[in-house]
Amino acid sequence: EEVTAVISIEGFSSEEYLVMVTQAGVIKRTPLSEFEYQRKGGKIAMNLDEGDSLIFVDRTMGDADILIATAQGQGSRFAESDVRIVGRTSRGVTGIRLREGDRVVGAVIVENDAAWQENHHLVTITEKGIGKRVPFSNFRRKNRPNMGIRCQQITEKTGHLCGVAVATEDEDLMLITDTGTLIRIAVSEISLLKGSGATGVRLMRLAEDATLVSFAVAEKVEEEEETEGGEDALF
């Protein structure tokens, strides 16, 4: 077993939910209040089919949209309310229909607020370090389940989609490879493209045998000023 998500909460409101998505495309929505009383060994959050695994968990208020993305570059957006509320031990329902050989690599919560969507974009990055930003207006809400639309052009040179995230231009991204290399880049440096099927640009140059395995949104870090000698000043 491995930890999928850590979520900070202030209380267990019955008006908030945990949304869970699995690698096989199953989605589930359960009231946060069902997790209030904990046992030492934890509680069952979701019953998984054999061979499936939980890859995404987030807290919602019940009125957002969900966008699920797959390794082959498909993205499906639908209303959170389209996912019926079930108990902890339930399996859930199909969130996205997968093509043969495809799998879910991530999901994001999309707020239905014009100002929010103007400042937030979907970031997609592939295993070979190719990435882009696209507006959420590229993804029209559809009834669940469906196969989605192209959110990232996938080729042999790009590799499969590594994951997706929501980010603003005032944030940074941390990218890490399977060989332990980590870089930090500003979200504002990633091209904002109108076409959801575009390939994107190279964000990270990887060694021939390396693969990008994960990335995360982080607070922006301003570059430190250098002294005349070219070294960072020490105080």
Side-chain angles (χ1 to χ4, degrees):
E1 289 185 322
E2 62 182 34
V3 175
T4 297
V6 177
I7 300 172
S8 175
I9 60 173
E10 297 180 355
F12 293 87
S13 170
S14 59
E15 297 180 354
E16 297 182 64
Y17 306 91
L18 287 185
V19 170
M20 311 172 205
V21 181
T22 76
Q23 193 174 67
V26 176
I27 185 170
K28 172 182 175 178
R29 186 163 64 117
T30 299
L32 185 60
S33 57
E34 292 209 11
F35 299 91
E36 181 171 5
Y37 300 104
Q38 291 294 314
R39 305 186 183 98
K40 289 184 178 179
K43 281 186 172 182
I44 294 175
M46 183 177 189
N47 277 323
L48 298 171
D49 296 337
E50 184 176 354
D52 199 3
S53 58
L54 185 64
I55 64 169
F56 171 85
V57 184
D58 206 349
R59 183 176 59 170
T60 68
M61 299 298 294
D63 56 358
D65 284 358
I66 313 295
L67 193 153
I68 299 177
T70 77
Q72 293 180 10
Q74 294 296 112
S76 174
R77 176 181 175 178
F78 52 87
E80 174 188 348
S81 58
D82 199 15
V83 181
R84 63 188 177 91
I85 301 169
V86 295
R88 290 186 300 102
T89 58
S90 297
R91 171 188 179 273
V93 296
T94 301
I96 185 171
R97 291 197 179 100
L98 300 174
R99 292 184 170 91
E100 184 177 356
D102 202 1
R103 58 185 169 83
V104 172
V105 294
V108 297
I109 306 298
V110 184
E111 298 294 336
N112 285 303
D113 177 80
W116 186 93
Q117 293 191 27
E118 183 177 351
N119 294 319
H120 294 75
H121 302 118
L122 180 71
V123 176
T124 63
I125 306 180
T126 73
E127 295 172 333
K128 294 301 181 182
I130 305 298
K132 64 177 181 178
R133 287 186 296 142
V134 295
F136 284 106
S137 58
N138 282 8
F139 302 92
R140 185 168 58 89
R141 180 197 293 175
K142 296 183 178 180
N143 292 331
R144 175 205 61 79
N146 60 77
M147 300 184 73
I149 65 170
R150 181 70 64 188
C151 67
Q152 175 80 40
Q153 187 67 36
I154 299 300
T155 67
E156 184 177 346
K157 291 183 178 180
T158 67
H160 285 124
L161 188 63
C162 170
V164 291
V166 174
T168 72
E169 292 190 349
D170 297 323
E171 294 175 310
D172 287 350
L173 289 179
M174 304 286 288
L175 286 67
I176 188 167
T177 71
D178 58 355
T179 57
T181 301
L182 183 147
I183 69 166
R184 186 174 194 136
I185 63 173
V187 172
S188 58
E189 296 179 4
I190 304 174
S191 300
L192 178 60
L193 304 174
K194 298 299 183 181
S196 57
T199 301
V201 297
R202 184 168 297 282
L203 306 181
M204 183 179 189
R205 293 198 175 277
L206 288 76
E208 186 174 348
D209 58 345
T211 299
L212 186 69
V213 293
S214 183
F215 68 94
V217 179
E219 291 185 5
K220 179 177 285 296
V221 173
E222 301 296 338
E223 295 184 2
E224 298 180 358
E225 294 184 1
E226 296 185 346
T227 64
E228 294 181 358
E231 297 181 351
D232 292 340
L234 299 178
F235 298 92

